[in-house]
Amino acid sequence: RGFGPVGGRPYLRLLSYMAVAARRVAGVYDRLLGSAPLRVKSASSALIAGFGDNLCQNAVEQRESYDFARTARFMLVGGVLVGPTLHAWYEVLATRIPGATAMAAAKRVALDQGVFAPVFVPVFTMSLAAVEGSQAALHDAATRLRKDYVDLLSGNIAIWTPAMFISFWRVPPSYRVLFANIVGIAWNTYASWVIGKRVTA
């Protein structure tokens, strides 16, 4: 028996089940976040970084042969670098610029995109090359980063400026890394495309 039309009871029952499941997942996440916030944020960063590269390879690049090693590198960098760094950086911003007003959020965004992003974009890119474990990969990444830096930073600003304003203004502090990770699906897909297409070309 199908779910029927949009207004039918089976469809509403499905939505009800989904809502209950979402609340349960949120409850589990809250409990884990309370007991091990850094580990939870790092794990979610790793998973979403991997998902972004997976989406890039399958939907954007439409590769005939999937590069599992590349996805693993994105997951490693996401879990070891991105998650902990964002956790610490958001705490710094909250301490330096307290408050939940739109003006406070705008100031945090200005620091995030004007100070943090220009430094973190090359660190992120070089870290992906570093986990390949060869000097050639590092040299190649440094050369290509000089060529792609403007593209990566422009994409970063376009994606993260509105997202971070919403995050700093409306998202509770404990959920900001998770929110960033969700938005990061778009960023990781874009970054994977910019970096990966040239590395594999």
Side-chain angles (χ1 to χ4, degrees), residues 61 70 74 121 124-126 128-129 132 140-141 144-145 148 152 187-201:
E61 297 174 355
R70 195 176 93 179
F74 267 87
V121 165
F124 175 81
T125 305
M126 292 303 295
L128 285 171
E132 289 189 50
D140 186 57
R144 290 166 183 173
L145 180 61
D148 300 334
L152 282 168
W187 163 248
N188 281 305
T189 301
Y190 175 76
S192 179
W193 175 68
V194 172
I195 298 169
K197 72 173 183 175
R198 291 177 171 85
V199 170
T200 58

Side-chain angles (χ1 to χ4, degrees), residues 21 32 36 40 65 67 82 93 124 138 149 193-194:
L32 292 174
V40 172
S65 178
D67 189 345
V82 177
L93 288 178
F124 175 81
L138 287 170
Y149 180 74
W193 175 68
V194 172

Side-chain angles (χ1 to χ4, degrees), residues 130-155:
V131 296
E132 289 189 50
S134 70
Q135 288 295 326
L138 287 170
H139 180 269
D140 186 57
T143 301
R144 290 166 183 173
L145 180 61
R146 285 193 289 270
K147 178 181 179 181
D148 300 334
Y149 180 74
V150 173
D151 288 342
L152 282 168
L153 189 60
S154 298

Side-chain angles (χ1 to χ4, degrees), residues 16-74:
S16 176
Y17 290 152
M18 291 174 65
V20 171
R23 284 195 296 269
R24 289 178 177 174
V25 170
V28 171
Y29 183 82
D30 279 337
R31 288 194 295 273
L32 292 174
L33 195 62
S35 61
L38 184 56
R39 291 181 183 179
V40 172
K41 292 173 183 178
S42 295
S44 60
S45 293
L47 291 173
I48 291 178
F51 181 76
D53 182 63
N54 180 286
L55 185 62
C56 177
Q57 292 195 48
N58 287 310
V60 179
E61 297 174 355
Q62 297 182 339
R63 297 170 59 94
E64 294 182 1
S65 178
Y66 190 85
D67 189 345
F68 288 97
R70 195 176 93 179
T71 299
R73 290 194 294 271
F74 267 87

